[in-house]
Amino acid sequence: MPDTATVETLRRIETELRKVIVGQEQVIEQILVALLAGGHVLIEGVPGLAKTLMVRSLAQVLGIGFRRIQFTPDLMPADVIGTTVFNPKDLTFEVKRGPVFTNLLLADEINRTPPKTQSALLEAMEEQQVTLDGQPHPLPRPFMVIATQNPIEYEGTYPLPEAQLDRFLMKVRIDYPAQDEERAILENHYRGFRAQELEQAGIAQVLDAEGLLNLRTAHRRVTVEAGVLDYINAVVRATREWSSLSVGASPRGALALLVSSQSLALLRGRDYVVPDDVKEMARPVLRHRVILRPEAEVEGVQADQVLEQILQSLPVPR
């Protein structure tokens, strides 16, 4: 069994988040997996599904810095990473840091801004630093990006390039709540809960930045047997050979599937990975790392369907 204090901390984080988030258990779990693994998340869902509330609540529970950027067509790279400003008083240049200098960054509707601005996040996400006038500036630790995009409205948007998509540990899909969950949301609002007044919701802080950094090391102690490693390898390699896919997942995708499976096992109170962990993580980790062939897209095939076919075709280790 993993360390009891670690498991208790994770349970407390989930409990606090569910004080304000009704339903969306799978989405919360996947975001916490990415948090443990030290990765970034792309959330895809229509407006109004509490994506911003979820991220703001997470920052409050973790006790870390939070900033939000609303991506628009006129947003410039300097609006994200910052710039240098000349100070005429002492004839020096001062660094004016952008909103990326935080612990948890919400990049809202990231596909509404041009590629030049999107790419401003690339170095930050991969290297955890930004470069201003040739000088590197490290970002606060921990650092995590949670980006959102609308899956149905593509007018005036700029699809993320494959290189940037690959920097997201997983792509999470969020859907409408179930009928009873939506009824509970209405009840909460009727009784006075307001997303804009999160401080009044009674959310307790569970961690701080240092505590989160320590928590992130816990998944490395989760055991992965040789047969499970072979299974991860087989899943990823099958994406490169599958007839309906033109591009499969890279070795980075295989590593992402490994650490995500370890983090999921830890979140569920185990210190070892089972094949079901790999199966559950395969879709969110790989769906944005594979590209369908044009003829498959015309037939309405989805990446998740192909990944499900791959999982069903492979023998599961015992």
Side-chain angles (χ1 to χ4, degrees), residues 2-294:
D3 178 61
T4 304
T6 298
V7 175
E8 289 180 354
T9 298
L10 293 171
R11 295 290 172 268
R12 287 176 59 201
I13 293 172
E14 287 185 275
T15 299
E16 295 301 320
L17 286 176
R18 292 199 167 101
K19 287 182 179 179
V20 294
I21 304 298
V22 178
Q24 305 296 358
E25 282 84 2
Q26 187 179 59
V27 175
I28 291 174
E29 184 176 66
Q30 290 175 357
I31 289 176
L32 291 181
V33 164
L35 183 77
L36 285 171
H40 310 290
V41 177
L42 177 63
I43 302 180
E44 188 174 79
V46 299
L49 296 180
K51 297 185 290 293
T52 300
L53 175 62
M54 193 179 298
V55 180
R56 287 177 56 219
S57 302
L58 180 63
Q60 187 160 324
V61 171
L62 298 176
I64 57 177
F66 168 73
R67 298 291 295 275
R68 173 181 177 272
I69 305 175
Q70 181 64 52
F71 280 78
T72 57
D74 60 347
L75 199 73
M76 300 296 291
D79 298 323
V80 176
I81 65 173
T83 186
T84 53
V85 180
F86 182 70
N87 187 338
K89 290 185 178 179
D90 52 12
L91 303 179
T92 59
F93 286 93
E94 298 177 353
V95 174
K96 184 179 179 181
R97 295 186 170 190
V100 74
F101 284 89
T102 189
N103 300 119
L104 181 56
L105 178 69
L106 174 59
D108 217 349
E109 295 189 294
I110 190 172
N111 59 332
R112 290 205 171 277
T113 202
K116 186 175 182 179
T117 304
Q118 291 174 0
S119 66
L121 273 180
L122 194 60
E123 181 186 13
M125 293 171 65
E126 185 68 14
E127 306 295 338
Q128 304 221 343
Q129 68 174 27
V130 299
T131 302
L132 296 171
D133 285 349
Q135 296 297 316
H137 296 269
L139 296 173
R141 297 184 66 234
F143 176 71
M144 180 180 185
V145 173
I146 298 182
T148 70
Q149 66 179 18
N150 186 332
I152 59 174
E153 188 180 357
Y154 291 107
E155 185 176 351
T157 62
Y158 304 84
L160 293 173
E162 299 306 318
Q164 186 152 354
L165 277 174
D166 201 39
R167 262 59 179 188
F168 288 100
L169 180 72
M170 62 178 70
K171 180 180 180 181
V172 174
R173 293 217 168 106
I174 184 170
D175 207 348
Y176 293 110
Q179 183 175 349
D180 59 333
E181 294 169 349
E182 193 162 9
R183 175 65 173 76
I185 293 170
L186 292 171
E187 182 75 19
N188 290 346
H189 188 84
Y190 174 69
R191 295 188 181 280
F193 172 74
R194 299 292 183 271
Q196 297 81 5
E197 301 169 1
L198 191 57
E199 294 74 15
Q200 309 301 320
I203 298 179
Q205 179 180 330
V206 175
L207 281 175
D208 55 19
E210 184 177 355
L212 177 55
L213 287 173
N214 292 332
L215 190 66
R216 279 184 164 182
T217 65
H219 77 272
R220 301 173 190 167
R221 298 188 289 273
V222 175
T223 302
V224 187
E225 293 185 350
V228 178
L229 281 175
D230 291 339
Y231 185 53
I232 293 172
N233 189 26
V235 170
V236 173
R237 294 188 70 83
T239 65
R240 304 170 196 164
E241 302 163 359
W242 208 255
S243 60
S244 53
L245 296 177
S246 61
V247 176
S250 67
R252 182 185 282 131
L255 294 173
L257 187 54
L258 170 62
V259 298
S260 297
S261 300
Q262 288 177 291
S263 298
L264 180 63
L266 179 63
L267 194 60
R268 294 185 173 174
R270 284 184 277 105
D271 59 359
Y272 58 92
V273 174
V274 297
D276 281 347
D277 297 326
V278 179
K279 285 185 174 182
E280 287 194 45
M281 288 291 98
R283 281 174 288 275
V285 169
L286 300 179
R287 61 168 55 118
H288 59 296
R289 292 184 161 96
V290 298
I291 299 177
L292 293 164
R293 292 190 182 277

